[in-house]
Amino acid sequence: MMAEHSLWRARYVVLDVETTGPDPVQHRIIEIACLVLEAGRVTERFVSLVNPHQPVPPSITALTGITTSMLLTAPEEAEVFARVAQLLAPSGTILVAHNAAFDRKFVCATLERLQYRTAEAYPWLCTYRLARRLLPPTVRRFGLDGLIEFFALPIAGRHRAGPDAEATAAVLCRLLLLAAQQGIETPEALLRLQYTATRSLPRRLLRLLQHIPARPGVYSFYTRQGQLLYVGKARNLAQRVRAHFTPTNGALSHRSSAVWDIRWEETPTELSALLREAERIWHEQPPANVLGKRLSYAFVRLTLAEPFPRLEATRALPHGHDAWIGPLPTWGHALQLQDLLRRWYRLRPCSAELRSAPHEAPCFYAELQRCSAPCTGSIEPEHYRQCAEQLLQDAIDNLQRWVEALLATIEEHVQRWEFERAAALRSLWRILHRWHQAQLPFAPQACSFLLCVPAESRALELFRWCRGSFQGSRVVRTADDPELLTWLRHAPHDTSLSWLDIARLDVLAHWLPHNRQARLYPLPPDLRAEELSELIARIQGLLTET
């Protein structure tokens, strides 16, 4: 069945024909090319002239260069189409042509005349129709010449069956890539796509789309009444905004007819676009945005203010002098991590205030060796606090220890055939692994650093966090800028955290592992003169490298 194939594993036969005229009843094929495309490459080629037994009109000769005399010794129609029928025979074959209606009617008429299986029985894919539905609305030329130019294809010898089929195959490969990026997963879905309705955009939006720069930034869609509809971010504003107006885009396609105005703001880097998008969605609550409007994170709180600190999952915003481990995307993740940390560091799970030990018998957790049982006096208060402080230190700068321990726990479950329990922990492992790769403290109030990201030529965008609170960014081109020195020396007075600050750290944790060119430097609130000098030297070194 065709649906069992992926887009790239399907078997395509790309066809192109040259004829003596437009009518398949009166006119005949004079040249045909068949290219078999499998796994993104041409595996078979068949190109042949065909003796039509009728003269070639001068207009056709002028277009193709094929003359009547060239066809006098060409193979007969029956001989050529015996080979064509062989190429079309394998099950699941999809026939492809540009402006497929023309090629289809001639191929079908010829096969029927020769009493082969009619080509109507095969699925046909038209690259002209597909391009109109996959390419941005600013593309106005969908003929083969226009697509060759758009995709910058090195095709020569146009208006002959061979080169035209080569061009169509190259166009098809690029359209398949676009279709896959836009969520088309099967050939059946691709075949349906070519017949979906297209909607021409108003000239007002077309003019706006033509002026959007190919730079990082944040864009906004507005209704005719000026109401904000949607906020998005992009590494390339021009490509991303245009993609919203293709029929296969699911994010806004059902609302795109309501878009009256498009506004955008450029940013120096992709990261500043991500942070700006999060800020705008949080504050402005656009109706078409789904993510980012209701921020919900969980933490594991380490109660350092208590003589015998304990761990508790919480949805509260970090505050006070306790340690907060996270952020975690769900309450379930917080409960999982709480239980694992209690076991690894043997911290007490009870919430009762402990009196001078010993005062009672060991509890169930102590008997299972999952608690150091400070209530019985089996551990000194100083040693217990060292365990709690070691937990916090590992969260800040040795997260690899947790990643490896959790992976070992998952493998133990697998070896015992406890596959569901192993699967339940994999999501938590991915979160910890991501933060480890980002090299960020997994404790918001320990996040005090300067992040340096290459921007335009010989420039850096610097991002500052202090105790988890985002303190802004600035673009620098020289490290001896007096304003930069003032900015770095200034110790923020208000470092209280908001949910937006937590979301920004989460954005950063997702972004950093994929952007190794960024550099992260500790930036304590009480920066000393020698630390400032060292930091300025590092910034200058990065500016020299860019």
Side-chain angles (χ1 to χ4, degrees), residues 206-238:
L206 286 173
R207 285 194 297 269
L208 286 171
L209 290 173
Q210 290 170 353
H211 289 90
I212 297 176
R215 291 181 52 80
V218 177
Y219 58 92
S220 314
F221 296 151
Y222 292 84
T223 66
R224 188 167 190 166
Q225 293 74 31
Q227 178 192 5
L228 176 63
L229 184 65
Y230 182 83
V231 173
K233 53 81 183 58
R235 181 181 298 177
N236 183 316
L237 281 167

Side-chain angles (χ1 to χ4, degrees), residues 77-82 109-116:
E77 185 179 74
E79 179 184 347
V80 172
F81 272 80
T110 306
L111 289 173
E112 186 176 349
R113 188 166 52 248
L114 296 172
Q115 298 183 347
Y116 286 105

Side-chain angles (χ1 to χ4, degrees), residues 119-130:
E120 293 284 0
Y122 296 95
W124 281 79
L125 189 62
C126 177
T127 50
Y128 173 87
R129 298 182 67 90
L130 206 56

Side-chain angles (χ1 to χ4, degrees), residues 203 260 310 405:
R203 291 183 180 179
W260 180 264
R310 55 195 171 79

